[in-house]
Amino acid sequence: MPDAVWEPRIVAFFCNWCTYTAADLAGVSRLQYAPNVRVIRLMCSGRVDPQFILEALAKGADGVLIGGCHFGDCHYVEGNYKTFRRMRMLNRLLLALGIEPERVRLEWIAASEGDKLRHVVNEMVDRIRALGPLNLPERFQSWNRELSHQTPPCEGVLG
Amino acid sequence: MTPPQNHAPKAHRAEPRIGFYVCHCGSNIADTVDCAEIARYAASLPGVILARDYKYMCSDPGQELIQQDIREYQLDRIVVASCSPLLHEHTFRAALARAGLNPFYLQMVNIREHVSWVHKNREAATAKARDLARAAIQRVRHHQALQPIRVPIRAEALVLGGGIAGIHAALLLAEAGKRVILVERQPSIGGHMAQLDKTFPTLDCAACILTPKMSAVRAHPNITLWTYSEVIKVEGYVGNFTVTVRRKPRYINEALCVGCKQCVDACVFKDGKFPDEFNAGLSHRKPIYLPFPQATPQVVVIDPDRCLNLKTGKCKKTCVEACDRNAIVFDQQPEVHEVKVGTIIVATGYDLFDPTRLPQYGYGRYPNVFTTLEAERLVNSSGPTAGKVRLRDGRVPRSVGIILCVGSRDHRTHPWCSRTCCMHSMKLALLIREHAGAEVTIFHMDIRSAGKGYEEFYDRCLREGIQFIRGRVAEVTDWAMTAKEEGHLVVRVEDTLAGFVRRIPLDMIVLAVGMEPQRDARELRRILNISCSNEGWFLERHPKLGPVITFTDGIFLAGCCQGPKDIPDTVAQAGAAAAEALALMDRGYIEQEPNTAYIDPDHCCGCKSCLPLCPYSAIQLDETQGRAFINEALCKGCGACVAACPSGSIQQHLFEDEQVFAEIDGVLSYA
């Protein structure tokens, strides 16, 4: 059921030690932010498999936010560096897929930065709102329709 | 170490029987989220046998409800939508275990910190809670029965910092029979408290209550005292930290020196020439010195930046001749030690605010503007003036003003209240009056005297004629406007009770400088891998329920490194930190979250992509079989290898791919 008024849907992967805790802190401090983000807790941002991001987009997310500890702060020494490297690679993949790379955002938010979390979430929602819906599931469907109606390639092309 | 019992092949999955519980948390959740609606919705999802909403799930009746339902309805998966799993996951896991269900069949939904407390729109909040609940319900069906991992804990502790907090914690642990290594970077333990004259509100002498504890540290057979030393590296994890300590050379053989100070008398510098750190620079010391009379250990130290022999190699070395025990070792080198400990208590204290940052108060420009620490040394009978309060030119001050909140409660510098300055200043006011007979005026915004006997002390100051003027001081100047002001420092302040601006001439000004985090707190935080608040104070796990625990298991906080506090609070916190460390060490083991990664040997192709990713070297290659395997005891459960495995043959307990995918699908399926 598509919403009557479109609202950005954002999936977030937060590391247990910094960003998830920062989100808890934002709650304890009663900071108000946009309700468009759905958080999935992982132990480390290094656990974020690029497939998670692609899967989220394919299942209808308009954007994905990944939150980890600042460089040098990782609970697991260097997991965030690995995330950082993967995201650079994923960026190129997204471009190739025709998805605006700005839909995927990586942020370092420490356990004490509840206010930064609020700020990042709000900014992310504004950004996705400006980009508009991604609508990958519907796009997949229309591509599938196109493929099924396509006439077989002409045999004489190569000759 | 337990055998890797979490590798059992996945049991054939029957259709799960899920119980769903949504907590009102009084009105904390129910005010913003329609809990009954969430329960109704959850009940409609496949696999959910029953869904309930309840006022307080974490209460005994709430937990009992889950246990009863598990037994009555043969539930085998539980989802609780309430607060953060970091707060109550263990509570509900325990409830599952009591009902005979493996505790890892639980999934929590955070609808308080992440929903009801951060959103006001009831409809949007309820929709978000519904999405998160659906994700958890889809996820929980993939959960596996797991066993927590037991890791043994070493019964040795490291205490970092030898102020009153570190001393108290070290003594408690040592008394309980644990081996303690106390590391202090100054040449002596004692910290700031050793510099104080008397302590509020009882006015008992700081040295008299601290010195016996310092000696006890020195004498205790279970305590290894390393002064003039710094921690440079910490590796490992709770129960098994490997700490590298660098011992700076003091150019003295500690085992031989008895602190007779004959070398100090014999030094080629006939008089002290260099600012004495212990006396806040108000007196001078030689290049070879004992930090203060009660210094522990009673071992002199040579300042390599001042000693002629160490700087130039040209000195008669009269100190060496004077030492009949041959304790002076000019070629001493820094030593690096590696120690293994089970727990670490961080008690590194605070720095004082540098008042030159507020030039309007004239510190450093007018000689007769002092800090509270300097005033403290002036009233101390073993201080530079033997307890006589004197201006820098030797005159006795007739009138003294103490300015509060210098570097505290000020958005230009530090927003926090340093908590001790009000009481400290009132104590100094009484002492200065006693020692110099001067009239004392305290300039304050408000007097904060919360503490046992503190308000009574304030009353006493009022009764005994200490003047209080309410107003933030605008400036201290020597620019006289009247003959009466000539030769004095003038405090310009708006007296907010009288309602006009006053100019008050005074002989001496004392600035009550606030506390700030140690300047290298952030570097230490990196070494220890603990968190800092934005201001630089070390972060406790929970402000109320975990005030001495950090986010890194096995590392505890004591004293002002966590935030400003006075001596009683510091000692209480040090005791709490020691008790937390003891509880861990006495049990002998800890149970760790079984979120370790494991490799499916049938799919691993031995490509070695994962090997360099593991910061703990937990992944090894079995050369004979050409497969990688993970040592569960070394794995810390970050999942970096799982995300990187090209063949998808690494999985992580509690965060299996299928669990995360189920969660992704769950949050995105439209209702």
Side-chain angles (χ1 to χ4, degrees):
Chain A
M1 180 197 78
D3 303 33
V5 183
W6 172 74
E7 271 291 317
R9 299 176 76 89
I10 296 165
V11 175
F13 298 98
F14 286 170
C15 87
N16 182 61
W17 303 100
C18 289
T19 313
Y20 195 87
T21 314
D24 279 2
L25 176 67
V28 173
S29 322
R30 309 294 198 278
L31 303 175
Q32 302 293 310
Y33 56 81
N36 305 55
V37 173
R38 309 284 184 263
V39 177
I40 293 175
R41 182 173 70 104
L42 297 169
M43 293 314 285
C44 177
S45 61
R47 175 70 181 91
V48 179
D49 191 327
Q51 282 192 47
F52 294 169
I53 298 163
L54 296 173
E55 175 80 0
L57 296 173
K59 284 267 163 69
D62 301 301
V64 176
L65 175 64
I66 300 114
C69 311
H70 289 271
F71 286 137
D73 285 4
C74 178
H75 191 80
Y76 303 103
V77 191
E78 52 194 30
N80 47 4
Y81 284 95
K82 290 157 194 158
T83 319
F84 182 67
R85 294 202 305 242
R86 271 177 216 149
M87 288 311 126
R88 302 210 31 168
M89 213 159 79
L90 183 74
N91 244 3
R92 291 166 56 186
L93 184 63
L94 291 174
L95 274 173
L97 289 171
I99 297 170
E100 301 90 336
E102 305 90 77
R103 291 188 184 272
V104 178
R105 178 169 180 178
L106 176 61
E107 276 292 340
W108 310 132
I109 303 175
S112 57
E113 296 178 323
D115 196 55
K116 181 173 180 187
L117 183 114
R118 178 182 66 93
H119 183 72
V120 165
V121 167
N122 284 340
E123 213 181 70
M124 178 83 181
V125 172
D126 288 346
R127 180 193 290 186
I128 301 297
R129 204 183 291 283
L131 284 170
L134 179 62
N135 257 346
L136 271 191
E138 285 80 359
R139 271 152 84 175
F140 287 156
Q141 275 172 22
S142 75
W143 293 338
N144 284 345
R145 272 196 304 276
E146 261 177 55
L147 283 173
S148 57
H149 292 306
Q150 207 172 31
T151 46
C154 174
E155 277 182 15
V157 166
L158 289 176
Chain B
M1 190 184 68
T2 42
Q5 50 200 327
N6 284 328
H7 295 316
K10 280 173 196 166
H12 172 70
R13 250 180 237 129
E15 182 60 16
R17 298 177 64 80
I18 304 170
F20 179 86
Y21 300 86
V22 54
C23 177
H24 294 211
C25 195
S27 59
N28 278 303
I29 294 172
D31 269 2
T32 327
V33 173
D34 186 344
C35 295
E37 159 60 20
I38 300 292
R40 263 196 306 280
Y41 173 71
S44 72
L45 294 175
V48 177
I49 302 299
L50 69 89
R52 296 183 194 276
D53 60 310
Y54 188 71
K55 204 155 180 71
Y56 287 106
M57 283 311 301
C58 62
S59 67
D60 280 348
Q63 295 181 51
E64 187 55 41
L65 188 65
I66 299 179
Q67 294 171 44
Q68 259 177 19
D69 287 346
I70 290 174
R71 293 196 196 97
E72 200 166 319
Y73 297 92
Q74 291 88 48
L75 301 178
D76 59 7
R77 300 285 191 283
I78 300 295
V79 175
V80 181
S82 57
C83 49
S84 170
L86 304 185
L87 196 64
H88 270 313
E89 194 169 51
H90 61 97
T91 310
F92 295 117
R93 278 183 180 171
L96 264 65
R98 279 196 299 276
L101 193 60
N102 186 288
F104 298 97
Y105 282 134
L106 171 82
Q107 175 67 17
M108 280 188 76
V109 192
N110 187 345
I111 58 167
R112 192 178 73 173
E113 281 84 347
H114 287 195
V115 181
S116 70
W117 277 352
V118 289
H119 306 313
K120 285 212 171 78
N121 181 329
R122 192 173 168 86
E123 206 176 308
T126 305
K128 181 172 177 181
R130 201 166 44 215
D131 287 354
L132 293 172
R134 184 176 52 232
I137 289 168
Q138 292 195 14
R139 182 194 213 271
V140 80
R141 55 169 64 221
H142 300 289
H143 278 209
Q144 301 281 322
L146 297 169
Q147 299 303 322
I149 300 163
R150 277 194 180 191
V151 180
I153 287 202
R154 300 185 73 93
E156 292 98 19
L158 178 89
V159 177
L160 239 175
I164 180 60
I167 290 173
H168 188 72
L171 280 174
L172 277 176
L173 291 170
E175 281 300 305
K178 302 288 177 256
R179 299 274 314 152
V180 181
I181 297 158
L182 177 57
V183 176
E184 164 61 49
R185 73 166 149 198
Q186 299 296 332
S188 166
I189 56 170
H192 281 103
M193 185 175 170
Q195 290 174 289
L196 303 180
D197 180 44
K198 299 215 163 117
T199 55
F200 58 78
T202 46
L203 295 190
D204 42 358
C205 137
C208 313
I209 52 180
L210 181 64
T211 315
K213 294 190 84 119
M214 289 163 60
S215 320
V217 166
R218 179 72 178 148
H220 207 292
N222 283 344
I223 299 180
T224 307
L225 176 58
W226 282 348
T227 52
Y228 220 39
S229 306
E230 283 182 310
V231 167
I232 51 173
K233 197 162 86 182
V234 174
E235 284 178 316
Y237 46 88
V238 54
N240 248 311
F241 292 106
T242 304
V243 183
T244 312
V245 181
R246 183 172 170 275
R247 305 206 63 196
K248 291 178 272 187
R250 61 201 295 157
Y251 305 103
I252 304 290
N253 184 334
E254 233 177 273
L256 293 177
C257 177
V258 288
C260 66
K261 299 212 287 180
Q262 285 189 2
C263 53
V264 180
D265 295 336
C267 178
V268 292
F269 284 91
K270 286 294 155 236
D271 294 304
K273 200 179 163 204
F274 312 106
D276 183 340
E277 295 85 354
F278 186 75
N279 279 331
L282 291 175
S283 67
H284 294 88
R285 61 161 172 81
K286 296 181 179 182
I288 185 165
Y289 64 105
L290 191 67
F292 54 99
Q294 302 89 354
T296 306
Q298 278 279 315
V299 173
V300 295
V301 56
I302 298 178
D303 182 345
D305 299 330
R306 312 290 195 193
C307 171
L308 272 187
N309 187 48
L310 286 169
K311 268 175 72 183
T312 63
K314 288 178 196 144
C315 179
K316 285 187 283 182
K317 295 193 244 184
T318 42
C319 52
V320 177
E321 287 162 32
C323 182
D324 53 6
R325 299 175 63 88
N326 294 323
I328 297 178
V329 192
F330 275 117
D331 55 0
Q332 201 172 54
Q333 296 300 316
E335 293 170 27
V336 175
H337 295 267
E338 222 174 59
V339 291
K340 289 192 179 297
V341 296
T343 53
I344 298 175
I345 292 179
V346 185
T348 48
Y350 63 96
D351 261 342
L352 283 171
F353 175 78
D354 172 9
T356 55
R357 285 177 59 191
L358 294 171
Q360 65 269 38
Y361 292 151
Y363 183 81
R365 216 155 23 105
Y366 304 127
N368 292 326
V369 179
F370 294 81
T371 65
T372 30
L373 184 63
E374 288 168 339
E376 195 71 52
R377 296 312 301 156
L378 287 179
V379 295
N380 190 299
S381 55
S382 64
T385 55
K388 298 184 182 69
V389 178
R390 294 289 179 267
L391 298 173
R392 303 234 195 220
D393 59 8
R395 284 182 301 134
V396 181
R398 307 294 307 149
S399 54
V400 178
I402 304 181
I403 299 176
L404 278 171
C405 296
V406 178
S408 309
R409 302 179 67 197
D410 181 351
H411 286 280
R412 290 166 303 181
T413 54
H414 299 316
W416 59 82
C417 168
S418 294
R419 284 187 60 190
T420 57
C421 328
C422 285
M423 292 300 297
H424 188 182
S425 299
M426 288 193 285
K427 175 201 75 178
L428 274 176
L430 286 184
L431 293 178
I432 289 172
R433 208 178 46 177
E434 187 185 313
H435 289 235
E439 175 100 350
V440 185
T441 310
I442 292 180
F443 299 91
H444 65 99
M445 298 205 287
D446 357 64
I447 291 295
R448 297 190 163 176
S449 53
K452 192 174 178 184
Y454 290 9
E455 186 66 17
E456 293 89 328
F457 189 80
Y458 177 29
D459 277 344
R460 176 178 162 192
C461 290
L462 287 169
R463 259 199 327 273
E464 296 190 8
I466 303 295
Q467 300 292 318
F468 289 84
I469 293 180
R470 201 187 82 174
R472 181 154 220 143
V473 172
E475 67 167 341
V476 174
T477 175
D478 64 351
W479 184 59
M481 283 174 75
T482 62
K484 217 180 111 195
E485 290 175 3
E486 212 66 63
H488 293 284
L489 289 168
V490 179
V491 168
R492 219 159 58 84
V493 59
E494 181 191 358
D495 186 330
T496 56
L497 294 180
F500 57 89
V501 175
R502 296 172 68 176
R503 291 175 59 90
I504 299 168
L506 296 161
D507 289 339
M508 176 184 188
I509 304 293
V510 178
L511 304 179
V513 284
M515 294 186 196
E516 60 186 21
Q518 289 269 6
R519 63 197 173 285
D520 53 357
R522 284 172 197 278
E523 287 153 47
L524 182 65
R525 176 186 78 87
R526 289 254 153 101
I527 292 174
L528 292 165
N529 199 0
I530 58 177
S531 301
C532 258
S533 66
N534 282 343
E535 299 87 12
W537 305 109
F538 294 144
L539 200 65
E540 65 282 357
R541 184 169 280 199
H542 192 279
K544 279 135 198 134
L545 303 177
V548 303
I549 311 171
T550 66
F551 284 99
T552 305
D553 288 337
I555 301 186
F556 305 99
L557 302 174
C560 290
C561 61
Q562 181 255 348
K565 47 184 77 63
D566 58 12
I567 295 169
D569 284 4
T570 296
V571 172
Q573 205 190 19
E580 296 274 5
L582 264 182
L584 262 185
M585 291 190 288
D586 264 352
R587 194 169 52 182
Y589 66 88
I590 51 154
E591 290 201 332
Q592 278 185 337
E593 188 91 343
N595 53 15
T596 46
Y598 62 97
I599 296 179
D600 178 352
D602 293 341
H603 288 107
C604 173
C605 61
C607 72
K608 297 189 252 186
S609 309
C610 51
L611 260 56
L613 289 177
C614 182
Y616 308 101
S617 310
I619 316 180
Q620 277 141 6
L621 190 75
D622 183 339
E623 298 282 359
T624 53
Q625 295 189 42
R627 309 255 189 278
F629 67 95
I630 292 175
N631 181 342
E632 196 181 37
L634 293 178
C635 175
K636 297 274 132 261
C638 64
C641 57
V642 190
C645 178
S647 62
S649 48
I650 312 185
Q651 280 304 323
Q652 183 186 10
H653 291 302
L654 290 175
F655 295 91
E656 311 258 351
D657 275 349
E658 54 183 359
Q659 295 171 358
V660 181
F661 281 129
E663 218 173 332
I664 295 171
D665 186 65
V667 291
L668 290 167
S669 317
Y670 288 80

